[in-house]
Amino acid sequence: MSANQNIQWFPGHMTKTKRMIEASLKLVDAVIEIKDARIPVSSTNPDIDGIIGAKPRLILLNKCDVADKNSTNRWIDYYKQKGIKALAIDCRSGKGLNLVVPECRKLLKSYIEKKQARGIKNPSIRVMIVGIPNVGKSSFINKVVKQNRAKVEDRPGVTRGNQWFTLDRGFELLDTPGVLWPKFEDQTVGERLAFTGAVKDQILDTELLAVRLLDLLKELKPPMFLERFSLNADTVADMESFELLELIGRKRGMLISGGEVNTERASAMLLDEFRAAKLGKITLELPEE
């Protein structure tokens, strides 16, 4: 396995999506950017700031139910210091979603007042939803619209075109396909996107990815992770990550002929359990880092 795994993302629809977002900005009054609460940096397209420009923005830290709560609060404080409102939400459970529309209205208070001064009592508000693949844009829309109209699937790149959704009191949402950038200059970003499922597993070395995840878990030592695999924190700290992967596979009985561990199967299991928060509520990135 190469330690310098090169993760790239070149689907043609990504370029098309970027153009679509730029063209649609003039149709909306504000932007909601959805990020993964576990990796707020890695789940941010670095081009987004340039694309959005001066449009009012609300950040939603999705999947907060599988992230560390204290870490999420630190991220909310971080964005507040930068003058950006951020909310912790979970699209599957609906947590925090009731705050989104009121916060958008607060964000657009001056715009609404100007419209009202011109005789428009209830001015319509149009908001664009942006975010990289698999951060939960469609799940968010399904919950807030209260109709299962947006296609949801737990894999990257399902939404292909712009879609409008109308909420009550003239509040409209514009959904856009998830957009990534064509190349990750920082391989750590690519790896963390892969840990959470934003990059397709098929284009990666699953075993190397599992080993890199174990590198992080060895540092963090989440209690649920240690308990789930009956691991000793001191023993884990002294082990090479590939040895730890083999130990985990052996504990799960994932053996092949000759008593060797099926590390590919163990790797897939580890990634699945991390994504489902079975190893604990884990945040991989903090503001001070």
Side-chain angles (χ1 to χ4, degrees), residues 93-113:
S93 67
K95 181 178 180 178
L97 296 185
N98 60 319
L99 301 175
V100 174
V101 172
E103 286 297 338
C104 284
R105 292 189 182 279
K106 285 183 190 176
L107 195 63
L108 294 168
K109 183 181 178 183
S110 60
Y111 163 81
I112 293 170
E113 288 174 347

Side-chain angles (χ1 to χ4, degrees), residues 65-82:
D65 280 2
V66 294
D68 176 69
K69 184 177 180 180
N70 290 333
S71 299
T72 300
N73 289 335
R74 285 156 76 177
W75 277 108
I76 290 172
D77 289 341
Y78 169 80
Y79 289 120
K80 183 179 180 181
Q81 291 169 16
K82 292 173 71 71

